[in-house]
Amino acid sequence: MKSALVVIDVQESFRRLPNWEAVSDPGIADKVGRLVAAAREKGDLVVWILHTEPGSGTPFDPESGHVRLMDGLKPEDGEPVLTKTSHNAFTTTNLQQQLTRHGIGEVVVSGIRTEQCCETTARVASDLGYQVVFVTDATATHPIEHRDAPAGRSLAEVLADPRTLSTDEIIARTEYALARRFARIATVEELTGS
């Protein structure tokens, strides 16, 4: 079965957010880079996804100059680079057409945020009939405030709130939700041999 590595939102935009210092894995680009090198070596397709929010004035606005891959990551000729405006990588892109054109049956998911764009993409890919491999340790996320938390709190206040979900809790929840339902959980070491 032909496989595609889908790299979701590993972009400079996230490093510009105030909560970046609480990210689960600040070295996410290195782990994704290892996956990319292994995928290329096997002849697998690598697809790059960037999240955009045009006109938002945020680091995700293309006008900000931050909607670009993190340092150390660079597409090779022929590797699709798609921009999305939805959480999953399918709805507002031609990702499914790209995968179909290349005869892909398996999608390997990595990127930022574990429970948001990555998990949502994995669920949609599964529903579309792809075999999905979710590389949890090649994803990253941030703590999540409780739904009733007041807006505008500092990162220190968010982290001090016992109702805030930690990154470890988020990652574990994602694995529980995906495993045996939507995806096979894998590690970078398992897929790269190193």
Side-chain angles (χ1 to χ4, degrees):
M1 179 181 309
K2 292 182 76 173
S3 184
L5 171 63
V6 181
V7 178
I8 301 170
D9 304 347
V10 185
Q11 63 193 68
E12 189 62 27
S13 309
F14 280 104
R15 292 172 22 98
R16 301 296 173 205
L17 298 177
N19 66 355
W20 179 254
E21 69 182 73
V23 73
S24 62
D25 187 355
I28 183 70
D30 293 334
K31 289 182 179 172
V32 167
R34 288 171 53 201
L35 284 179
V36 169
R40 287 173 177 161
E41 187 175 306
K42 291 189 294 188
D44 292 344
L45 179 66
V46 177
V47 181
W48 304 88
I49 309 292
L50 294 170
H51 184 77
T52 63
E53 297 173 2
S56 66
T58 71
F60 296 94
D61 188 330
E63 296 296 319
S64 73
H66 301 304
V67 180
R68 56 183 161 73
L69 294 171
M70 288 183 180
D71 290 344
L73 299 176
K74 184 177 179 189
E76 288 189 348
D77 288 343
E79 294 177 347
V81 179
L82 310 177
T83 58
K84 66 179 178 64
T85 56
S86 63
H87 292 298
N88 78 77
F90 287 94
T91 302
T92 59
T93 71
N94 70 345
L95 176 58
Q96 185 176 10
Q97 291 85 351
Q98 292 280 348
L99 299 176
T100 299
R101 187 172 61 121
H102 287 91
I104 302 299
E106 178 183 76
V107 173
V108 179
V109 176
S110 65
I112 304 175
R113 293 187 171 139
T114 308
E115 80 293 347
Q116 191 170 321
C117 298
C118 296
E119 181 179 331
T120 306
T121 297
R123 288 171 179 259
V124 172
S126 176
D127 283 351
L128 291 172
Y130 296 100
Q131 296 296 311
V132 180
V133 178
F134 195 86
V135 192
T136 311
D137 66 341
T139 68
T141 194
H142 301 88
I144 298 177
E145 292 185 79
H146 187 271
R147 67 182 178 274
D148 296 330
R153 296 189 304 170
S154 70
L155 180 58
E157 291 170 312
V158 170
L159 295 176
D161 186 339
R163 298 178 306 169
T164 296
L165 281 180
S166 71
T167 57
D168 288 344
E169 291 169 318
I170 294 164
I171 291 166
R173 189 218 59 82
T174 294
E175 287 186 343
Y176 273 92
L178 293 179
R180 294 190 208 99
R181 293 178 182 91
F182 299 97
R184 175 175 71 85
I185 307 301
T187 65
V188 172
E189 182 177 354
E190 178 185 343
L191 297 182
T192 66
S194 63

